């Protein structure tokens, strides 16, 4: 309405172009043989697929951090729970092809478990697990958020308890007896919905689903941010108490984005597992959640596109540096973080906005 | 191509860098050594080093990159079991080769992996046997102390089954786990002390990584001496002891398939080369570098692979796998190690060493010769007859 | 004492101060008048160094202070009572007062002169309360007391009577009069309360949209021309 | 059996001769473990200075053998031949005599039995204490003999307990009863199984059983008390570590609002400075090496403060008022610092040894060992806290720091050089982190990742206490330390840690601003 | 544009749904005490406001005026005493947003607006609508609502500035914006804490004019230190003087101004 439009026309065309290019990658990978100039190596495709999952997580984080001012240092837990929920299905789909040739996953055979524990009930259903992907992070976030927001926990206090939460979950999942494979987590998946997980076509499909989810989430988030609710969220960020005096109950607004964000993050995790092939508790380590925040910050928080750009650039650089300068890459990455904060206070997206202003 | 590319996949940053960095260096040294002798099939080896940064999904990504992008013929790498598990599907999918140089919990056999570290029966079981022997102190009670993850949990499960088979009661076994990076061992050491009041006790430590130093410092300061309660560790070697004041640890034990202190010409040569390499490459603390078991396993693995390639006259994965069967190598441990034709594990000797004040180990027990690996522990029901690929 | 020469200031692209000049002598009080949003506060902030000026010069006792940081200007003898009080909310009243002594050293830096308590007795009762817990008017009093403790050569007051009860406004008026009579201090008073300013000032200037549109001696303040610039 | 032999020999205690029969020595160099143990027992039975010297040498790895089986005690580059009593140059082909735990145990037993009759009080006391652990019925006559000779009251008490322990297995019921009663004041946990056994049918005598039950009860309650006190101590000790690691952060984060992810790396730099000080002392003042810690304290403070100031001047000062951005920049700094240390010192841990005055511990209440390094660190933490408190509350600097952090612009307007205060405050916080690093180096690893393991805990402590509240930080550290140590024995380390984290989450619900919340209008 | 037209827009309801004002009073404070660590900011304060009344409250700095408003709006919980909105709503049991929802609007002593939002958005957020999550998400401004915002913009003379960030306004402009937000809320009871502080004399007069227009349509409570302004708006109504947390005097402006005690503690001689 009276808002400057969130994305300019140029940004819209940019987004569309990016989507096209991204969508073309797996197609080129399948269509052209290795060696052909237009061939995209499958390594590249799986890398970009992984980055898109990270980008979705960063986008989710930006909704709470950038717009509602809630800094979560524990989003890794939602990501991982989504991943574990999907992982349960993938584990069941291994069937008897595990090393112990049992109906149970190898790690359960190993623990001498004879049946699935109750929380594995029905996880052989793909759709049930998809529901879990949404429900588990969603319900956890809702309950956690409800109590935290109701107690009016804010700022670093909130950040730290989210960190405590993810840390606690990490330790819990590290225990073998928790029933999620302990430190090794889930890996060695064989198939999804009957299709071999390592088949190029399956991979391309997963990739495209991820792309669609990312683009869809971007649109959804944009719609929310541009609605009046988006403005209420920003008011929560800036002056929550003032908002109460004009009649809004911040609790439900916060809870809404917080839960939405957790669900998006869970979906990101669910898409991540089959593409990366492993989920284990280290995804819930506090450092991982902080890294998500870093992606959003580097890209520019409160901009929707920024976190996506941030996730791609930080992870892209990390992938490239760790191969190209295995001994020096931390210097380079660290320096980039410092320079971004120093010279690009609004992140990469802010730089883009500045350039646009300077040469209209 | 006029070179053969080999991948090196060890964390150079993050929590595992502490252990894995030196494996990368040993691998590079070994490759230099092979190249100096003319390479393999007349081609030089070219190492591609990447840093998976102690991040398991990154291990998988890097493995894929090495195989698919850099087209390496073989990868030497991984330390933790979870990093191995995370790259396994990649190696299977792309049908490539991984050489894994670290002792591990077993319960695994993969066509695409060669395990040059110890399986439980090549390390844990003999160590416990020793502790129960008269010479080892005749321990009757056991504290199984480990970091909370799969290697310690699995090892302890096997050990518990083994101890039971030897008539040790459950009440004489205490199993204790600490989180990764745990640094406060006051309570645990006090509890060990309490437990040991009930009879001759030994501690079997599968503590990994950073927690070892605080554990040993606490042990030393609490006055628990090796003559009272010996601790045998499976993840503590010369490299880890570099960070500890070992004087109070005199007599505590470790079980490995190699110690730097074993005396034989191959080892002398190996140590000399390594020290010279460290100085030449200006590695940090080059004048105090030590060798250890995973380093030896790396060294052996690379040489065996080179031999197999020569034999196969190809770097093709399946041909190399075939040629690996029965490969032998005169290892720094002083024995000639053989690659088992059926289970991809090495036949290795087992040594038990006591910590000396200088941070080295004096060998107090060893097997007469190399032992075949049982990756599937026979003490776990259902594992019978699984020892072959 | 204070010379301001043609200073200009921009907030981004909006030109807030346009060539404002003024001159103030020791022992004199100048009133700065103008409607809401014309740039009074901005001008005072520029004098204190909180905002940079893009052109022009500020001189204190002949010394060019245009590029000095606020703390250097404070040490050079300027004290500032900002609009909105800017109390150190989590310091006690006493500590807030001690902050007023930040430019002093030695014993002087730790002794709060009794005068301020005579002027603002309420502060004495509340020495150990946190600044932020005070009522609005109490905070305003605290802010003035803090500035006076610095014993400045130039005191800048941005709407000092805002939110203060009538009797204390009278007291503050008396203090300003006293300071003026003492003759060792120059006073720059930005005020919406016309009668108050009229009573105390020797001179005045009127700002409108960042420009000086009228100025003169106290007597000229009641001119309809001046009033016109203040009316809506 | 072994002990019986030893005793027999001891009691016969023949006159000392100058040298040891080489036939006795020969098995030591041989490969038969049983023969070696037997040899040690026999040598111990000689009970003369030469035997003591030989056994001590064996224990300290100073015993060597030639390939033909002759034994030498090597000190510096002289070889003493115990068989001949001659000292000469080192013979060809000397090789250390292998000692393992079993042998070491035998040597210890032999030595402590010898030492019971030593003229040195400390040695006798140590021997008596040692015997308490392992005494058997067979040794009872020896103990009685020592008891008869002993004058020192402390050692007598100890020996009485030892005698009691030995006599528990006496076939004579009266003796057993006396022994059980004598042990009523013991706090030796090793007695429990014996006493417990005496409760069962294995003990034929009813009176002894009753007495044993009494003693066992007394012992148990004493042990329980000891355990409780032990837990309190462990908790305080953990708290002191948490406090030292969190204190610097309480300043850089709590007061300045910088989400300082590089805090852990400042701890690490402090620890590495300690390492360098130790190296320097080892190389240049080997005689004073035990004092390296004293030098390390100011050094670590200055080095980390300097690093902190450099960071503040180059990076952080651009970020005031943008607290969330500090997270990103300091994360970058932390990566760089970690990798820098890895490049310079290697990825492996470096060794930092406790100075000898901090090694070991003091035994209290019979069985509770309070490690010296822990005690020192508790005291050190108290001193640092006191210092920080004084600086922040009793100096003008402290006032300015708080003022600048609350209202930077106004602080400038009243004449405070905010840039200088920022620099000094960050330097102070960093320097204190450096001191924390010194303490950590005495407990655990010194490696490039050192900081990473403490950063999460540090933030929890600071936040739980209430950001900007020094007193809160202290109480939070203490609370977490104690809670952890009382939970750990019940739940195990992993569940205890999870429980603590859940507790933190719950606690913040009750106190959304931390333990010491700011109340009133000023809190908004 | 005069304030008159504004009144047409605001529904002009005096009492809304659920508010029972059968006894004629909209607000009752009874024996309210608020203490902060032993200091009594309010001391057994009793006060009531009738429907449609414009009540001026004066009193020395620190008398407890702002604290009283804090109690009414739920920001501070009374240590003892009761506060009722209408006959039935116990304010001490309601949260801030429930109170706002029930129809009490407040302007703070220091202007508090959403600095990162534009002037327009500030008004939009304050507007009386369903303020729950779902309606907010799907809210679209009707042309009527749009018109209303425009009216208010004109009234507070920020018409040209509706797209400016509110944080960039001058002090006086922020005061006006906050008054505008209050009007958007259409509350039944308006609390104004020093509405003309920092306004020029002319602006003050305008504000007085506005309040005189609102009189009778809303119940209003005004706290001010500007005596000219208070005289202007109090007219013949009751002025209450607070001192040390309780009522010191009450009466018409003329009565109060001549009260010795009021002169002593507040007006000065
Ligand atoms: N940080 C800022 N960025 C952009 N514009 C600003 C900023 N601060 C103030 N302004 C604008 O500059 C103009 C002058 O503001 P200033 O605060 O100096 O006014 P003033 O004369 O003090 O008004 P008042 O009497 O209301 O205090 C106003 O129009 C205001 O909107
Ligand atoms: N949280 C608090 N802690 C301690 N004292 C407080 C707190 N809040 C208010 N006070 C004290 O309560 C008294 C009443 O404050 P209040 O703000 O209500 O005064 P007021 O009547 O609004 O004054 P003014 O006209 O100056 O705005 C003051 O003396 C103030 O210092
Ligand atoms: N395999 C191990 N040591 O994790
Ligand atoms: Mg102003
Ligand atoms: Mg007030």
């Amino acid at each position: 309405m009276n808002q400057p439009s969130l994305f300019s026309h140029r940004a819209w065309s940019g987004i569309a172009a990016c989507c096209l290019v991204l969508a073309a990658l797996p197609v080129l990978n399948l269509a052209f043989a290795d060696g052909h100039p237009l061939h995209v190596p499958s390594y590249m495709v799986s890398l970009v697929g992984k980055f898109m999952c990270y980008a979705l997580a960063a986008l989710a984080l930006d909704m709470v951090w950038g717009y509602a001012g809630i800094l979560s240092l524990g989003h890794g837990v939602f990501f991982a729970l989504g991943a574990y929920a999907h992982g349960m299905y993938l584990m069941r789909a291994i069937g008897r092809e595990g090393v112990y040739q049992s109906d149970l996953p190898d790690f359960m055979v190993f623990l001498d478990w004879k049946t699935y524990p109750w929380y594995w009930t029905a996880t052989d259903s793909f759709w049930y697990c998809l529901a879990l992907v949404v429900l588990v992070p969603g319900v956890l976030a809702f309950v956690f958020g409800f109590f935290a927001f109701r107690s009016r926990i804010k700022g670093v206090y909130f950040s730290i308890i989210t960190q405590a939460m993810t840390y606690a979950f990490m330790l819990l999942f590290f225990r073998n007896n928790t029933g999620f494979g302990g430190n090794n987590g889930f890996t060695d998946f064989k198939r999804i919905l009957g299709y071999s997980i390592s088949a190029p076509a399956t991979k391309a499909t997963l990739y495209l689903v991820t792309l669609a989810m990312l683009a869809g989430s971007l649109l959804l988030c944009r719609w929310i941010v541009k609605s009046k609710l988006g403005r209420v969220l920003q008011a929560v960020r800036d002056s929550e108490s003032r908002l109460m005096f004009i009649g809004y109950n911040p609790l439900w607004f916060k809870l809404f984005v917080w839960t939405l964000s957790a669900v998006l993050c869970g979906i990101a995790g669910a898409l991540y597992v089959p593409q990366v092939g492993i989920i284990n508790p280290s995804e819930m380590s506090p450092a991982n959640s902080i890294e998500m925040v870093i992606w959003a910050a580097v890209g520019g928080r409160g901009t929707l596109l920024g976190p996506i750009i941030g996730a791609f650039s930080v992870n892209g650089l990390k992938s490239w540096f760790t191969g190209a300068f295995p001994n020096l890459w931390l210097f380079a990455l660290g320096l980039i973080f410092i320079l971004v904060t120093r010279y690009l206070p609004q992140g990469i997206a802010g730089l883009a906005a500045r350039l646009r202003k300077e040469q209209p | 191509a006029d070179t053969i590319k080999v991948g090196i996949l060890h964390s150079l940053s993050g929590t595992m860098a502490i252990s894995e960095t030196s494996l990368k260096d040993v691998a590079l040294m070994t490759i230099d050594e092979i190249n100096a002798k003319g390479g393999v099939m007349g081609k030089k080896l070219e190492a591609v080093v990447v840093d998976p940064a102690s991040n398991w999904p990154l291990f998988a990504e890097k493995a894929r990159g090495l195989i698919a992008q850099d087209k390496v013929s073989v990868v030497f790498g991984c330390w933790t079991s979870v990093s191995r598990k995370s790259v396994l599907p990649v190696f299977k999918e792309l049908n490539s080769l991984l050489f894994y140089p670290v002792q591990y919990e077993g319960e695994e056999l993969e066509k695409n992996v060669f395990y040059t570290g110890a399986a439980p029966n090549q390390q844990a079981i003999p160590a416990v046997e020793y502790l129960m022997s008269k010479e080892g102190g005749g321990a009757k009670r056991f504290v199984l102390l480990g970091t909370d993850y799969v290697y310690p949990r699995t090892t302890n499960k096997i050990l518990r089954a083994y101890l039971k088979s030897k008539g040790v009661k459950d009440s004489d076994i205490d199993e204790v786990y600490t989180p990764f990076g745990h640094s406060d061992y006051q309570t645990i050491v006090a509890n060990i002390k309490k437990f040991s009041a009930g009879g001759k006790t030994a501690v079997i430590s599968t503590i990994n990584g950073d927690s070892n130093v605080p554990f040993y410092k606490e042990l030393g300061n609490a006055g628990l001496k090796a003559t009272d309660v010996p601790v045998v560790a499976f993840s503590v070697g010369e490299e880890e002891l570099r960070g500890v004041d070992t004087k109070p640890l005199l007599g505590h034990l470790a079980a490995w398939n190699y110690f730097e202190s074993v005396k034989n010409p191959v080892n002398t040569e190996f140590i000399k080369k390594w020290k010279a390499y460290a100085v030449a490459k200006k590695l940090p603390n080059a004048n105090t570098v030590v060798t250890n078991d995973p380093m030896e396993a790396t060294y052996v693995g690379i040489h065996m692979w080179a031999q197999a390639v020569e034999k196969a006259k190809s770097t093709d994965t399946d041909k190399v796998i075939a040629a690996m069967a029965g490969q032998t190598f005169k290892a720094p441990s002083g024995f000639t190690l053989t690659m088992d034709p059926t289970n991809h594990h090495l036949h290795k000797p087992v040594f038990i060493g006591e910590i000396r004040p200088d941070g080295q180990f004096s060998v107090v027990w060893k097997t007469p010769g190399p032992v075949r690996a049982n990756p599937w522990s026979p003490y776990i029901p259902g594992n019978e007859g699984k020892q072959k690929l | 004492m204070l010379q301001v020469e043609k200073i200009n200031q921009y907030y981004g692209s909006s030109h807030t101060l346009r060539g404002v000049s003024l001159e103030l002598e020791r022992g004199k009080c100048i009133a700065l008048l103008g409607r809401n949003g014309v740039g009074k506060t901005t001008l005072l902030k520029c004098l204190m160094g909180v905002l940079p000026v893009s052109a022009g010069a500020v001189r204190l006792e002949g010394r060019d202070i245009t590029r000095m940081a606020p703390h250097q200007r404070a040490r050079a003898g300027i004290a500032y009572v900002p609009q909105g009080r800017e109390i150190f909310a989590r310091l006690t009243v006493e500590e807030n007062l001690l902050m007023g002594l930040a430019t002093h050293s030695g014993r002087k830096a730790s002794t709060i002169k009794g005068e301020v308590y005579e002027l603002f007795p309420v502060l004495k009762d509340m020495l150990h309360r946190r600044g932020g817990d005070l009522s609005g008017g109490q905070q305003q009093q605290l802010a003035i007391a803090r500035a006076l403790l610095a014993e400045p050569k130039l005191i800048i007051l941005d709407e000092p009577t805002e939110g203060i009860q009538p009797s204390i406004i009278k007291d503050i008026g008396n203090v300003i009069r006293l300071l003026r009579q003492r003759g060792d201090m120059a006073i720059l008073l930005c005020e919406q309360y016309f009668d108050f300013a009229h009573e105390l000032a020797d001179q005045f200037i009127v700002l409108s949209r960042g420009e000086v549109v009228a100025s003169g001696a106290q007597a000229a303040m009641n001119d309809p021309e001046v009033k016109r610039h203040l009316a809506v | 059996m072994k002990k019986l032999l030893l005793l027999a020999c001891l009691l016969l205690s023949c006159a000392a001769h100058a040298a040891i029969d080489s036939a006795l020595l020969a098995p030591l160099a041989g490969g038969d473990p049983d023969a070696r143990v037997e040899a040690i027992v026999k040598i111990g039975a000689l009970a003369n200075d030469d035997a003591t010297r030989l056994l001590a040498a064996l224990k300290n790895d100073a015993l060597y053998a030639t390939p033909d089986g002759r034994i030498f005690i090597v000190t510096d580059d002289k070889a003493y031949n115990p068989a001949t009593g001659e000292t000469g140059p080192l013979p060809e082909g000397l090789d250390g005599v292998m000692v393992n735990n079993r042998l070491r145990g035998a040597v210890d037993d032999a030595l402590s039995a010898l030492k019971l009759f030593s003229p040195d009080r400390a040695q006798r006391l140590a021997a008596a204490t040692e015997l308490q652990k392992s005494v058997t019925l067979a040794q009872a006559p020896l103990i009685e003999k020592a008891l008869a000779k002993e004058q020192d009251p402390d050692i007598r008490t100890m020996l009485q307990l030892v005698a009691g322990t030995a006599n528990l297995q006496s076939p004579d019921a009266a003796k057993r009863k006396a022994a059980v009663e004598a042990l009523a004041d013991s706090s030796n946990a090793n007695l429990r199984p014996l006493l417990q056994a005496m409760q069962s049918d294995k003990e034929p005598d009813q009176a002894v059983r009753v007495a044993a039950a009494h003693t066992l009860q007394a012992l148990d309650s004493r042990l329980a008390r000891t355990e409780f006190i032990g837990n309190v101590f462990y908790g305080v000790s953990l708290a002191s570590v948490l406090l030292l690691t969190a204190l610097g952060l309480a300043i850089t984060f709590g007061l300045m609002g910088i989400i300082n992810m590089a805090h852990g790396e400042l701890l690490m730099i402090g620890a590495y400075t300690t390492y360098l000080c130790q190296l320097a002392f080892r190389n240049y003042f080997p005689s004073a090496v035990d004092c390296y810690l004293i030098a390390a304290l100011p050094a670590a403070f200055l080095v980390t403060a300097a690093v902190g100031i450099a960071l503040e001047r180059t990076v952080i000062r651009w970020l005031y008022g943008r607290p969330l951005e500090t997270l990103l920049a300091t994360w970058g700094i932390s990566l760089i610092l970690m990798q820098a240390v890895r490049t310079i010192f290697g990825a492996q841990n470096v060794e930092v040894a406790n100075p000898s005055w901090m090694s070991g511990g003091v035994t209290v209440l019979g069985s509770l060992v309070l490690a010296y390094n822990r005690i020192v660190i508790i005291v050190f933490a108290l001193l640092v806290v006191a210092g920080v408190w004084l600086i922040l509350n009793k100096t003008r600097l402290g006032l300015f720091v708080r003022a600048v952090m609350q209202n930077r612009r106004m602080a400038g307007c009243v004449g405070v050089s905010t840039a200088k205060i920022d620099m000094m405050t960050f330097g102070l916080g960093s320097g204190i982190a450096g001191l924390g690093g010194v303490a950590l180096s005495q407990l655990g690893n010194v490696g490039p990742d050192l900081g990473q393991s403490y950063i999460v805990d540090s933030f929890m402590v600071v936040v739980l206490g209430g950001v900007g509240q020094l007193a809160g930080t202290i109480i939070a550290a203490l609370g977490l330390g104690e809670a952890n140590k009382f939970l750990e024995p019940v739940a195990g380390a992993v569940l205890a840690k999870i429980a603590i984290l859940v507790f933190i989450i719950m606690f913040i619900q009750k106190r959304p601003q931390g333990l010491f919340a700011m109340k009133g209008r000023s809190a908004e | 544009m005069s304030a008159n037209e504004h009144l047409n827009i605001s529904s002009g309801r005096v009492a809304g749904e659920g508010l029972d004002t059968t006894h004629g009073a909209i607000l009752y404070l009874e024996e309210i005490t608020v203490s902060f660590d032993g200091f009594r900011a309010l001391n057994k304060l009793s006060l009531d406001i009738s429907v449609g009344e414009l009540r001026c409250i004066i009193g020395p700095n620190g008398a407890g005026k702002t604290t009283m408003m804090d109690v009414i709006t739920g920001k501070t919980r009374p240590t003892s005493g009761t506060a009722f909105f209408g006959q039935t709503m116990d304010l001490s049991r309601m949260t801030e947003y429930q109170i706002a929802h029930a129809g009490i609007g407040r302007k703070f002593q220091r202007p508090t607006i959403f600095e990162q939002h534009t002037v327009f958005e500030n008004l939009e957020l304050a507007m009386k609508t369903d303020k729950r999550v779902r309606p907010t998400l799907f809210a679209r401004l009707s042309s009527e609502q749009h018109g209303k915002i425009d009216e208010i913009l004109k009234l507070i003379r920020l018409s040209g500035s509706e797209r400016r960030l509110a944080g960039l306004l001058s002090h006086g402009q922020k005061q006006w914006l906050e008054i505008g937000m209050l009007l958007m809320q259409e509350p039944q009871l308006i609390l104004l804490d020093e509405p003309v502080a920092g306004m020029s004399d002319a602006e003050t007069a305008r504000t007085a004019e506005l309040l005189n227009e609102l009189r009778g349509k809303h119940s209003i409570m005004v706290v001010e230190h500007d005596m000219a302004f208070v005289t202007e708006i109090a007219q013949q109504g009751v002025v209450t003087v607070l001192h040390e947390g309780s009522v010191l005097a009450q009466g018409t402006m003329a009565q109060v101004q001549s009260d010795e005690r009021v002169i002593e503690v507040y007006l000065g001689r």
Side-chain angles (χ1 to χ4, degrees), chain A residues 72-335:
Chain A
S72 165
L73 293 180
H75 254 46
V77 79
F78 303 126
F79 186 86
L81 287 177
Y84 268 103
H86 191 194
M88 290 206 272
Y89 164 74
L90 294 171
M91 287 308 277
R92 304 266 315 230
I94 295 174
R96 288 178 170 250
E97 284 170 49
V99 282
Y100 292 103
Q101 282 136 34
S102 157
D103 285 328
L104 296 176
D106 290 343
F107 67 86
M108 287 192 196
V109 178
F110 181 69
L111 289 172
D112 284 339
W113 291 6
K114 301 295 177 233
T115 52
Y116 281 101
W118 61 267
Y119 42 85
W120 278 75
T121 314
T123 44
D124 51 346
S125 151
F126 178 71
W127 302 108
Y128 173 70
C129 282
L130 277 201
L132 285 186
V133 164
V134 171
L135 286 176
V136 172
V139 170
L140 173 68
F142 186 86
V143 172
F144 183 90
F146 178 78
F147 287 105
F149 298 140
R150 200 189 53 167
S151 310
R152 302 201 179 165
I153 301 171
K154 288 182 213 153
V156 290
Y157 297 94
F158 185 82
S159 305
I160 290 296
I161 61 166
T162 54
Q163 187 170 65
M165 170 179 68
T166 190
Y167 195 9
F169 266 95
M170 179 184 85
L171 294 175
L172 189 68
F173 273 64
F174 262 129
R175 296 177 70 240
N176 273 7
N177 290 338
T178 308
F180 293 105
N183 171 74
N184 284 0
F186 300 158
T187 183
D188 209 12
F189 310 123
K190 306 283 190 226
R191 68 179 71 76
I192 179 168
L193 287 174
Y195 300 99
S196 160
I197 207 147
S198 55
T202 317
K203 288 184 164 180
T205 312
L206 283 169
Y207 175 99
L208 290 173
V209 170
T210 311
L211 177 61
M213 273 319 291
L214 180 60
S217 306
L218 180 63
L219 292 180
L220 174 72
C221 290
R222 177 180 172 278
W223 178 69
I224 291 173
V225 163
K226 283 207 65 179
S227 74
K228 183 171 172 190
L229 186 131
R231 293 187 289 282
V232 174
L233 288 179
Q234 290 171 56
V236 166
R237 178 185 70 194
D238 299 334
S239 174
E240 189 175 332
S241 63
R242 185 65 181 95
L243 199 61
M244 290 194 285
F245 290 113
I246 54 176
Y248 294 90
N249 182 357
L251 169 64
W252 298 109
F253 288 90
K254 287 170 148 185
L255 207 49
F256 171 74
V257 260
W258 172 249
T259 309
L260 174 81
S261 171
V263 167
L264 287 182
C265 222
I267 293 174
L271 292 164
Y272 171 89
V273 189
Q275 298 190 77
V276 171
I278 181 169
I279 175 65
N280 88 355
S282 65
E283 296 295 333
M284 303 184 192
S285 76
N288 264 42
S289 297
I290 293 175
E291 268 189 52
M292 290 186 185
V293 174
I294 301 276
W295 304 334
V298 167
R301 72 189 172 104
T303 58
L304 294 188
L305 277 186
I308 296 177
I309 300 170
F312 268 90
S313 37
V314 173
N315 285 296
L317 282 174
K318 189 166 163 180
S319 277
W320 179 53
F321 283 162
T322 46
F325 320 103
N327 291 311
L328 296 175
W329 70 277
L330 280 168
F331 290 124
L333 202 64
L335 205 62

Side-chain angles (χ1 to χ4, degrees), chain D residues 324-345:
Chain D
L324 293 173
E325 267 90 340
T326 56
L327 175 114
L328 178 55
T330 51
W331 180 261
I333 292 172
S334 116
L335 296 184
I336 292 178
L337 290 178
M338 240 188 304
Q339 192 63 10
V341 167
R342 214 174 264 137
T343 312
I344 300 170
F345 296 96

Side-chain angles (χ1 to χ4, degrees), chain E residues 119-120 153 157-165 169 173:
Chain E
V119 170
F120 185 95
L153 275 172
R157 309 198 324 135
L158 286 170
S159 287
S161 305
E162 70 257 37
R163 277 161 181 262
R164 287 186 70 193
L165 286 189
L169 298 179
Q173 291 166 327

Side-chain angles (χ1 to χ4, degrees), chain B residues 79-81 100 102-105 149 151 208:
Chain B
W79 180 294
T80 59
S81 293
Y100 175 70
V102 182
Q103 100 287 6
Y104 80 119
E105 65 277 10
Y149 78 104
Y151 165 68
N208 258 255

